[in-house]
Amino acid sequence: MSVPATYPADPVPSPEATGSAIRTSRLLKRYGAIEAVRGLDLDIVRGEIFGLIGPDGAGKTSTFQILAGVMEATSGTVEVFGKPAREARSQTGYLTQTFSLYPDLSVAENIRYIGDLRRVAPAEIAERGLRYLKMFDMDRFADRLAGRLSGGMKQKLALVCALVPEPKVLLLDEPTTGVDPVSRREFWDALAHLAADGLTIMVATPYLDEAERCHRVALMHLGEIHQTGTPAELRAGLHAKRLELRTTELAKAEQLLTQDAGDGREILDVQRFGDRLDLLTVDPENTTKYVEEKLKSPQLQISEIQTREPTLENTFVATLRSLGQEIRPEPFPGRYDHTDLRGQIAIGATQLTKRFGAFEAVKHVNIQIRYGEVYGLLGANGAGKTTTIKMLCGLLAPTTGEIQLAGETGSLRSQSVRQHIGYMSQKFSLYDDLSIEENLNFFAGVYGVPESERERKRNWALSFSGLEGKEKQLTGSLPGGWKQRVALGAAIMHEPSILFLDEPTSGVDPLARRAFWNIINRLADLGTAILVTTHYLEEAEQCNRLGFMVAGELVTEGTPSEIKNRQEGHLIEFVVDQPQGAADLLKQTLERWRVSLFGDRLHVVTDESAQAGIQSTTTQLAKHGIQVLGAREERFSLEDVFIGVVEKARQQGKVASED
């Protein structure tokens, strides 16, 4: 069911109405001969959440460091509330990409240290620290060492420390990389609250579902801004629609349709997901007929084809392609084909359990992953994912249960089993003090890659990483996205038939992420079994099957579409004149996970029919003077489903406490 609505343009405060918080003019930053920032003009208004997106090396971090007053520009002007950035540092909070807390200090000690550093009075440090800890539901962890916090809690603590001096501007450089979906949504709900109270927030993020939560977004490439607007304006500027195509043989359909795709063609772009293809087109009706005709001769059966709105990622990729920026990796120079193993069990577990003392981290998990399949294992921090993976690949012995790996059920640590496995860990798995070339040579040797193949595979890894000619560079000096590409190249040099990827694209920009999944899908087409974990649930759509873990239990399995179709209730999107007020009001009567804010749009999950949910919510908001400008039913995203599953489990007492 779809409820029609007329959508106004996203309301964004104008600089004239509210005044500029951040303004740059012809901002330039040069490192020797390299121009990292090239003539940047920005005007960010008070109380705005402004998103800066762009590929690795776009100049985002350099821009943030200049705005924060920690680095001088080469030329141009930058003002924060009318003052030069260096003079406005007392009004600016800055969260860097790297974890900036002291792990050996407690939560409260970290807050006191930062407060003292910023010359906040002790009584105000205590009052503000407690207030913000309560906002993030972290006040009960005041005495816990920062090093013992989960990734999401560390980021919340870093935000608390940045807020204690009560800045007027908050700069966040990829603040949620590695943070699980539940904590990520809580983090963004807090940002929306702070912006509604007048704080100006600028955020860089590689996750374009997060960019949807910003009032305005700018696309940065090679130090220049190429597009600025609300998310709705950027999507509309693409002048295209998205077709979701479901067919039984995705690889064949993708190959056929990609042959004729490109600018000015019937199909502009083809992107493969776990159980569908996304096709970008300006004429969905004619393209549907074209696709049906194109797939008729090889007798590829179409189970469904539907027209959808384009995503912000579609816009991002199309813009970068128009600028000549695209990663087209060469085919992996492999000699082995594992297709004869397709359909057989590569990774299996029966009643898999792991206890650490009295704590049961993994509880009676049953799982089967076949050769040629990409399986995604999803869960919040502490759900038991990493412990499960360590048992499945033989790094950790289970307390009880049986494991099957590469045809073996006995010694999973034998040399013969090891040769069949590739592993890319959650923590970056290369050596920072070795050069890129030395890392690749080391792993080629460890995995027993024949000398005759090493140069060709090393060259492929450098090409895939975009690092040709830079092989002598120290690996530790690379940005996170490039490191991840090198790590994937190292993990597959020996052509494993089973591949474990623990958050492989954390911090990787959307264009590079596409290149990652192009390689992953090609390996799966050749019969490789692949187990992936990710906190980025739009990326989880790339998997053929998914499993959700909650408190050590595997609670649901299926294709992405199957899991979304099982979700009960309806998701309604509202556009209202007072977004934050509406969200706060609805959370007083609804479970908090049912309400989430995306810029000016409000998502509400209701158990009523879509029409009844719209009517009852509109009536409730109207009683408090909040006007609904538009409403319609939307499809559940995997993030919506995941958070719903986790929150329902928490209500049943299943989710392990972080206490």
Side-chain angles (χ1 to χ4, degrees):
M1 172 183 175
S2 179
V3 180
T6 301
Y7 276 71
D10 294 348
V12 177
S14 66
E16 294 77 15
T18 61
S20 295
I22 298 173
R23 179 171 285 172
T24 70
S25 177
R26 305 182 70 179
L27 188 65
L28 180 81
K29 181 61 185 180
R30 186 182 291 117
Y31 301 97
I34 298 173
E35 288 187 342
V37 182
R38 304 164 63 191
L40 205 66
D41 294 320
L42 286 173
D43 197 342
I44 301 172
V45 303
R46 299 169 189 250
E48 180 177 18
I49 301 180
F50 188 93
L52 192 62
I53 59 177
D56 294 326
K60 302 186 299 296
T61 296
S62 292
T63 300
F64 272 62
Q65 290 175 341
I66 294 169
L67 294 176
V70 299
M71 183 169 66
E72 290 279 12
T74 304
S75 64
T77 60
V78 53
E79 294 180 344
V80 177
F81 288 103
K83 296 181 180 179
R86 288 187 69 83
E87 294 179 19
R89 283 181 292 180
S90 63
Q91 297 178 315
T92 304
Y94 179 34
L95 264 68
T96 64
Q97 284 187 25
T98 54
F99 176 46
S100 55
L101 303 176
Y102 293 91
D104 294 331
L105 295 183
S106 70
V107 167
E109 288 168 341
N110 268 284
I111 294 170
R112 282 199 298 273
Y113 175 76
I114 298 298
D116 287 339
L117 201 62
R118 298 296 293 269
R119 298 181 179 177
V120 180
E124 290 182 351
I125 295 174
E127 185 275 324
R128 295 173 189 176
L130 181 60
R131 178 177 8 125
Y132 290 122
L133 286 175
K134 285 183 176 179
M135 177 187 289
F136 299 134
D137 192 28
M138 283 187 59
D139 51 302
R140 64 188 186 279
F141 302 117
D143 295 327
R144 178 174 291 189
L145 292 180
R148 293 186 54 237
L149 299 175
S150 68
M153 292 172 71
K154 286 177 180 176
Q155 291 301 86
K156 291 177 188 175
L157 174 56
L159 183 55
V160 170
C161 289
L163 291 172
V164 163
E166 295 200 338
K168 293 182 179 179
V169 167
L170 188 60
L171 305 173
L172 307 175
D173 196 0
E174 299 190 9
T176 63
T177 295
V179 176
D180 73 79
V182 176
S183 295
R184 201 153 60 101
R185 180 169 286 192
E186 291 172 349
F187 190 91
W188 274 90
D189 284 347
L191 294 186
H193 259 289
L194 293 166
D197 290 338
L199 182 65
T200 303
I201 300 171
M202 187 174 179
V203 58
T205 176
Y207 304 125
L208 295 190
D209 64 330
E210 289 192 343
E212 292 276 4
R213 295 174 176 266
C214 299
H215 296 119
R216 286 191 301 151
V217 176
L219 172 59
M220 192 173 185
H221 175 56
L222 294 179
E224 297 179 314
I225 297 292
H226 291 275
Q227 279 185 308
T228 302
T230 68
E233 288 170 346
L234 295 186
R235 289 194 304 270
L238 192 57
H239 303 297
K241 297 291 184 182
R242 183 171 56 91
L243 292 179
E244 290 187 358
L245 170 67
R246 287 174 173 79
T247 178
T248 51
E249 300 200 47
L250 288 176
K252 289 183 180 178
E254 179 192 22
Q255 186 177 14
L256 277 171
L257 297 175
T258 301
Q259 291 172 356
D260 299 326
D263 290 342
R265 305 286 185 88
E266 187 70 47
I267 298 173
L268 304 176
D269 182 41
V270 179
Q271 185 178 8
R272 178 170 163 185
F273 290 88
D275 60 357
R276 74 173 199 268
L277 297 179
D278 272 14
L279 315 175
L280 208 60
T281 175
V282 296
D283 188 345
E285 187 174 342
N286 281 338
T287 302
T288 297
K289 295 175 183 176
Y290 169 82
V291 169
E292 290 172 344
E293 188 64 31
K294 187 81 173 175
L295 301 187
K296 186 183 295 182
S297 55
Q299 297 182 323
L300 295 179
Q301 184 179 355
I302 297 174
S303 58
E304 184 180 52
I305 185 165
Q306 292 184 327
T307 303
R308 303 290 181 194
E309 291 299 315
T311 65
L312 203 54
E313 183 165 324
N314 294 140
T315 304
F316 178 97
V317 171
T319 301
L320 289 181
R321 283 177 171 169
S322 71
L323 298 170
Q325 173 80 14
E326 183 165 14
I327 301 171
R328 292 188 180 275
E330 294 293 321
F332 180 70
R335 297 191 306 115
Y336 303 110
D337 188 332
H338 309 300
T339 51
D340 58 318
L341 298 172
R342 289 183 71 91
Q344 299 179 35
I345 296 174
I347 307 167
T350 305
Q351 295 295 306
L352 190 63
T353 299
K354 182 62 182 180
R355 298 187 192 92
F356 297 97
F359 176 63
E360 201 168 26
V362 177
K363 306 171 185 176
H364 311 291
V365 166
N366 296 295
I367 196 170
Q368 289 187 344
I369 303 169
R370 301 182 183 277
Y371 288 102
E373 180 178 31
V374 182
Y375 186 97
L377 190 63
L378 311 179
N381 289 330
K385 303 185 305 299
T386 300
T387 301
T388 299
I389 289 178
K390 285 180 177 179
M391 289 190 287
L392 291 176
C393 66
L395 293 176
L396 185 66
T399 304
T400 59
E402 295 183 356
I403 300 173
Q404 178 180 340
L405 182 65
E408 293 285 338
T409 56
S411 175
L412 303 184
R413 301 179 68 89
S414 68
Q415 185 64 27
S416 61
V417 171
R418 291 278 146 224
Q419 287 302 114
H420 291 291
I421 295 173
Y423 183 72
M424 182 176 166
S425 74
Q426 180 179 349
K427 303 297 181 184
F428 175 53
S429 51
L430 304 180
Y431 294 96
D432 280 356
D433 53 353
L434 295 182
S435 70
I436 299 163
E437 182 180 53
E438 288 169 338
N439 263 296
L440 293 172
N441 287 337
F442 173 78
F443 281 97
V446 167
Y447 283 129
V449 177
E451 289 281 355
S452 59
E453 298 177 21
R454 291 187 185 183
E455 183 178 1
R456 192 158 57 108
K457 289 180 175 176
R458 184 176 62 243
N459 289 340
W460 174 87
L462 290 169
S463 173
F464 169 67
S465 305
L467 294 168
E468 301 102 318
K470 299 180 180 179
E471 55 269 22
K472 304 297 184 183
Q473 185 173 338
L474 280 181
T475 306
S477 68
L478 293 174
W482 275 317
K483 285 182 181 179
Q484 295 294 83
R485 293 181 227 175
V486 177
L488 178 63
I492 64 175
M493 292 182 79
H494 62 303
E495 302 179 50
S497 59
I498 298 173
L499 187 58
F500 291 89
L501 302 174
D502 197 1
E503 296 186 36
T505 65
S506 181
V508 173
D509 71 75
L511 209 56
R513 197 179 297 127
R514 278 201 178 195
F516 258 80
W517 280 95
N518 181 282
I519 297 300
I520 290 169
N521 283 326
R522 296 294 165 259
L523 293 171
D525 291 342
L526 292 171
T528 305
I530 302 169
L531 175 59
V532 179
T533 71
T534 177
H535 282 324
Y536 183 46
L537 292 188
E538 285 196 4
E539 178 176 68
E541 298 263 11
Q542 303 269 8
C543 300
N544 305 129
R545 282 195 305 134
L546 301 170
F548 284 5
M549 284 194 76
V550 176
E553 299 181 38
L554 193 64
V555 295
T556 189
E557 275 189 310
T559 68
S561 294
E562 287 171 350
I563 287 176
K564 285 187 284 188
N565 290 339
R566 289 181 205 145
Q567 179 70 9
E568 297 176 351
H570 301 272
L571 176 65
I572 312 298
E573 181 178 275
F574 293 90
V575 177
V576 297
D577 62 350
Q578 301 175 52
Q580 190 61 60
D584 292 342
L585 176 65
L586 293 176
K587 286 179 181 179
Q588 293 176 14
T589 55
L590 295 173
E591 295 159 303
R592 296 182 65 84
W593 65 270
R594 293 180 179 269
V595 182
S596 189
L597 198 58
F598 289 79
D600 73 312
R601 294 168 295 123
L602 194 64
H603 282 190
V604 179
V605 177
T606 177
D607 291 333
E608 301 177 286
S609 69
Q611 187 65 56
I614 289 173
Q615 290 174 348
S616 62
T617 302
T618 300
T619 300
Q620 183 181 358
L621 294 175
K623 289 179 180 177
H624 293 81
I626 299 173
Q627 183 182 358
V628 172
L629 306 175
R632 66 182 176 190
E633 183 175 15
E634 286 284 354
R635 299 183 76 189
F636 283 103
S637 69
L638 265 182
E639 181 179 303
D640 293 316
V641 176
F642 177 84
I643 289 175
V645 167
V646 171
E647 291 301 326
K648 288 176 182 177
R650 180 174 291 166
Q651 292 167 10
Q652 298 168 7
K654 287 186 177 180
V655 177
S657 170
E658 295 195 76
D659 289 304

